Amino acid sequence: MGLSIALDRFSLQDPHERAVRIAIEPGFDDYAGRWSLWECRPMPEYLLAICAEHLDMVPPRLIFRELVSSITNELLKLRLLKTSEPYAR
């Protein structure tokens, strides 16, 4: 549903410097454990935020690629600034 959900139905919380959590309003047909969140800075002037659903309750795995041309691409190793995943700290 993306940002079609009213902004007052969920919030993002920073429990500590390297973590981000989503809180979903009670009674809404969703739950926070269904989502993974990440934040990173691919370039100094950009901040990238990603939210992805757990399919079959399996957390998604991120792979970043830089498109160099229409023929080649390179893997990027980005340092995550914040994440909802405990194993990625």
Side-chain angles (χ1 to χ4, degrees):
M1 288 188 268
L3 289 180
S4 66
I5 300 170
L7 296 178
D8 63 350
R9 305 289 302 268
F10 71 95
S11 63
L12 299 177
Q13 304 164 344
D14 297 318
H16 62 77
E17 183 181 302
R18 302 267 301 144
V20 60
R21 301 278 184 267
I22 188 168
I24 299 173
E25 180 181 294
F28 191 61
D29 190 22
D30 204 346
Y31 65 99
R34 192 175 102 175
W35 302 100
S36 288
L37 306 163
W38 300 271
E39 183 181 295
C40 61
R41 192 170 293 282
M43 298 174 69
E45 64 271 20
Y46 296 105
L47 183 63
L48 174 65
I50 301 168
C51 177
E53 180 181 12
H54 294 205
L55 298 177
D56 297 324
M57 296 309 296
V58 176
R61 185 176 71 125
L62 294 182
I63 299 173
F64 297 101
R65 294 185 182 271
E66 178 182 17
L67 183 61
V68 178
S69 72
S70 60
I71 298 171
T72 65
N73 63 69
E74 298 175 4
L75 283 176
L76 290 177
K77 292 185 180 182
L78 298 179
R79 185 177 75 83
L80 296 175
L81 301 175
K82 294 184 180 186
T83 181
S84 62
E85 299 301 316
Y87 59 82
R89 291 183 195 187

